[in-house]
Amino acid sequence: GEDVEQSLFLSVREGDSSVINCTYTDSSSTYLYWYKQEPGAGLQLLTYIFSNMDMKQDQRLTVLLNKKDKHLSLRIADTQTGDSAIYFCADTGRRALTFGSGTRLQVQP
Amino acid sequence: DAMVIQNPRYQVTQFGKPVTLSCSQTLNHNVMYWYQQKSSQAPKLLFHYYDKDFNNEADTPDNFQSRRPNTSFCFLDIRSPGLGDAAMYLCATSNTGARGDTQYFGPGTRLTVL
């Protein structure tokens, strides 16, 4: 089957870097996504990486992909209180997305 | 500027009383999806339309139906809501539905069943 797994919770101090990790099982995934969900809201696409890339940087966000280990990470530099949310990784092993269970990021002032 | 719009944002219904949730899009995308997201869980795909072609997930209960009268609109009908159907319902669209095609989500409708 297709599984995407994430740690459930991460707490950081404002100004520190956050690293959210994700593992997936489907080796045929072509794109891997990071979505952000604030309380009571829908999913906001943050960034994505194509499977033939190792790294993608987008302002404060850095995505690292280790295709051999099927490991994906999202690094948020200079984490702000507005970054507090649930972060979902998702892969595209099927026509639709397969989501991880989400990592709740708590940013302490 | 909204691209995927869901109405209402909050819906309260009674046990067993049919309810319809609405989604519209301004992106002119071919594919529209409905996901169910229960508290502290990942979104779970219920079904999707590729144009007018309806695709149901194998484990989606018969209680859930969908209609897509035109490219812009898609509806989720819950024929007899149970307490276990209380959740956030997310609509998403994508251009082609091909593997890797980015999905854009609406803000969701939170359904409460009394």
Side-chain angles (χ1 to χ4, degrees):
Chain A
E2 297 152 7
D3 269 333
V4 180
E5 295 190 356
Q6 303 177 236
S7 53
L8 291 181
F9 186 76
L10 175 66
S11 181
V12 300
R13 291 198 177 276
E14 193 173 16
D16 288 350
S17 292
S18 307
V19 179
I20 302 170
N21 294 302
C22 173
T23 58
Y24 61 98
T25 58
D26 189 344
S27 57
S28 65
S29 291
T30 50
Y31 285 88
L32 295 129
Y33 294 87
W34 284 103
Y35 282 88
K36 176 183 180 183
Q37 187 176 38
E38 297 185 19
L43 296 173
Q44 174 194 352
L45 177 64
L46 278 181
T47 187
Y48 63 90
I49 188 167
F50 189 51
S51 59
N52 69 352
M53 298 169 66
D54 297 324
M55 185 182 89
K56 180 179 179 181
Q57 187 152 4
D58 185 359
Q59 299 181 337
R60 291 191 298 124
L61 305 178
T62 303
V63 179
L64 295 177
L65 175 60
N66 182 330
K67 199 173 180 184
K68 176 176 168 289
D69 295 338
K70 299 191 185 67
H71 182 267
L72 182 73
S73 68
L74 173 69
R75 180 177 179 271
I76 305 173
D78 186 25
T79 313
Q80 303 297 308
T81 55
D83 296 325
S84 293
I86 300 176
Y87 290 80
F88 290 94
C89 67
D91 79 357
T92 51
R94 303 165 55 181
R95 181 182 283 258
L97 296 172
T98 301
F99 287 92
S101 54
T103 299
R104 182 178 295 277
L105 175 63
Q106 180 182 69
V107 183
Q108 299 177 357
Chain B
D1 202 21
M3 296 185 292
V4 183
I5 303 156
Q6 291 189 243
N7 285 305
R9 295 293 309 280
Y10 301 91
Q11 176 73 56
V12 180
T13 191
Q14 292 179 330
F15 184 94
K17 185 174 180 183
V19 67
T20 294
L21 310 182
S22 169
C23 177
S24 63
Q25 53 134 339
T26 61
L27 297 162
N28 205 35
H29 280 174
N30 288 311
V31 192
M32 296 186 78
Y33 308 82
W34 280 104
Y35 289 84
Q36 179 192 63
Q37 186 183 23
K38 296 191 177 180
S39 182
S40 302
Q41 294 184 22
K44 177 179 175 300
L45 182 66
L46 294 173
F47 28 57
H48 73 275
Y49 271 95
Y50 183 89
D51 197 10
K52 295 180 181 178
D53 180 24
F54 178 70
N55 298 271
N56 200 28
E57 293 298 298
D59 55 355
T60 298
D62 292 340
N63 199 23
F64 292 87
Q65 304 286 321
S66 186
R67 296 170 283 135
R68 188 178 185 188
N70 53 51
T71 301
S72 300
F73 284 87
C74 194
F75 300 100
L76 169 62
D77 300 308
I78 309 176
R79 293 193 296 189
S80 182
L83 298 178
D85 297 327
M88 174 80 91
Y89 289 88
L90 297 166
C91 174
T93 73
S94 70
N95 190 21
T96 68
R99 179 179 285 187
D101 194 26
T102 300
Q103 292 187 25
Y104 297 90
F105 283 80
T109 296
R110 182 167 296 282
L111 178 68
T112 300
V113 182
L114 301 177

